[in-house]
Amino acid sequence: MNDYPSRHVPGAMAPIPSRTAPVPPLDDELDGQLEDTAGVHAGADMIRDGIRLLALDHLTADQTQTILSTIAGADANLLTLLGLLVKRLTNPDENPALDTLDPQTAKDVQQLGE
């Protein structure tokens, strides 16, 4: 008890996790998925690089919480961004690559994206 501070300091006696401890390597499933999607497009490779960085970086608990809420739970989240990207890529008015599709197929693709 003599080591305890004279006034209460939240977390003062809690162990401090080492930021120098090694981060475990990627598990086979995540590593395999990252490798399977390599070379699709430079934009997709940048997303892959970001996922790899998030998985292997020394994150604080606060950073982990913020990242998790950004991926799936906050108002502005990555799932919404990916959904909007799908919507854009499947819209013939916004993706000229779909101009070669017949009108019905283009409409079907757009409906699937929406």
Side-chain angles (χ1 to χ4, degrees):
M1 286 302 280
N2 291 340
D3 293 336
Y4 196 79
S6 59
R7 62 183 172 77
H8 178 69
V9 179
M13 298 303 289
I16 299 171
S18 173
R19 299 246 323 162
T20 60
V23 175
L26 298 179
D27 62 76
D28 291 341
E29 183 178 15
L30 180 55
D31 191 44
Q33 288 292 321
L34 287 169
E35 293 307 314
D36 289 348
T37 56
V40 172
H41 184 275
D45 286 341
M46 292 171 69
I47 293 168
R48 290 175 53 255
D49 289 344
I51 291 170
R52 185 180 305 276
L53 175 61
L54 289 170
L56 295 173
D57 198 15
H58 285 277
L59 301 172
T60 64
D62 187 54
Q63 288 173 319
T64 301
Q65 179 181 354
T66 302
I67 289 165
L68 290 172
S69 66
T70 301
I71 290 172
D75 291 335
N77 64 65
L78 294 178
L79 291 179
T80 299
L81 283 173
L82 291 172
L84 292 171
L85 175 61
V86 168
K87 184 177 175 185
R88 178 179 173 83
L89 292 177
T90 57
N91 184 337
D93 295 334
E94 296 179 348
N95 184 356
L98 304 180
D99 288 344
T100 60
L101 299 176
D102 65 84
Q104 184 58 51
T105 302
K107 183 178 178 179
D108 292 344
V109 168
Q110 184 173 3
Q111 288 177 336
L112 289 171
E114 290 173 352

